[in-house]
Amino acid sequence: MKLILHKPYIILWALIPIMLIYGFSLGDATLDLNIHDTYYVISKVQIWYGIAHLFAIYGILYWIFINFNRKMINSLTSIHLFSTIIGLIILTILSPLFNQESANFQKENDYEALVFFSQLIIVLIMLLAQFLFFVNMGIGIFRKQG
């Protein structure tokens, strides 16, 4: 726990190679989104590359704040790291369970609707955690040096 609060950037940077290796292992897998009349096809490899870049940026920001002795709130740092990392793990586990082609959300399809809404709640929690990161950063900027 002490490592998480005092050097969170190490955890974020350690997860980057794992995400890149996982992204390579997905091969040609794609995420197909149908919004009204438009289909969006996104390579899952690119999604994992984007998440790895995001972790690198968060790690750099945490490193800058710690090296310039800016005091951030430890509980917000913990909430940000745990909800982001555990949310990604849960989404990775739940994504193969959701079959988009048969998701019509009727009574015979309660299982897939439950998986979909579980994923939606986890994504919303993760987005809230990203907002808390920026709140924590703002607090760190205006707080007295520690």
Side-chain angles (χ1 to χ4, degrees):
M1 189 70 166
K2 200 174 200 181
L3 177 69
I4 294 171
L5 297 178
H6 296 292
K7 295 184 180 183
Y9 55 88
I10 292 175
I11 294 169
L12 292 170
W13 290 341
L15 289 173
I16 291 173
I18 296 169
M19 286 187 273
L20 293 176
I21 290 170
Y22 182 72
F24 278 128
S25 71
L26 291 175
D28 292 336
T30 59
L31 175 68
D32 301 327
L33 299 173
N34 183 7
I35 301 175
H36 298 290
D37 292 338
T38 307
Y39 254 103
Y40 298 99
V41 180
I42 305 167
S43 171
K44 289 188 179 180
V45 173
Q46 296 300 319
I47 293 171
W48 283 101
Y49 287 167
I51 294 170
H53 282 94
L54 188 66
F55 273 36
I57 291 169
Y58 284 151
I60 290 169
L61 289 172
Y62 275 125
W63 180 80
I64 288 170
F65 270 75
I66 289 170
N67 283 340
F68 285 105
N69 292 327
R70 301 310 302 179
K71 189 89 169 144
M72 297 175 87
I73 298 175
N74 291 338
S75 60
L76 289 180
T77 300
S78 298
I79 290 170
H80 173 248
L81 287 177
F82 284 126
S83 60
T84 302
I85 294 168
I86 293 173
L88 278 175
I89 292 169
I90 292 172
L91 285 177
T92 304
I93 293 170
L94 284 180
S95 63
L97 301 175
F98 182 65
N99 184 1
Q100 291 179 331
E101 295 164 356
S102 64
N104 55 11
F105 305 114
Q106 294 177 357
K107 286 192 176 188
E108 66 269 7
N109 213 359
D110 287 339
Y111 171 75
E112 290 179 356
L114 178 67
V115 171
F116 172 76
F117 288 117
S118 302
Q119 287 177 331
L120 182 65
I121 289 170
I122 292 168
V123 167
L124 291 175
I125 290 170
M126 288 174 58
L127 288 175
L128 177 65
Q130 307 322 302
F131 174 73
L132 289 178
F133 170 74
F134 291 109
V135 168
N136 198 10
M137 219 172 56
I139 290 169
I141 289 172
F142 295 113
R143 221 176 191 192
K144 290 183 181 180
Q145 290 184 351

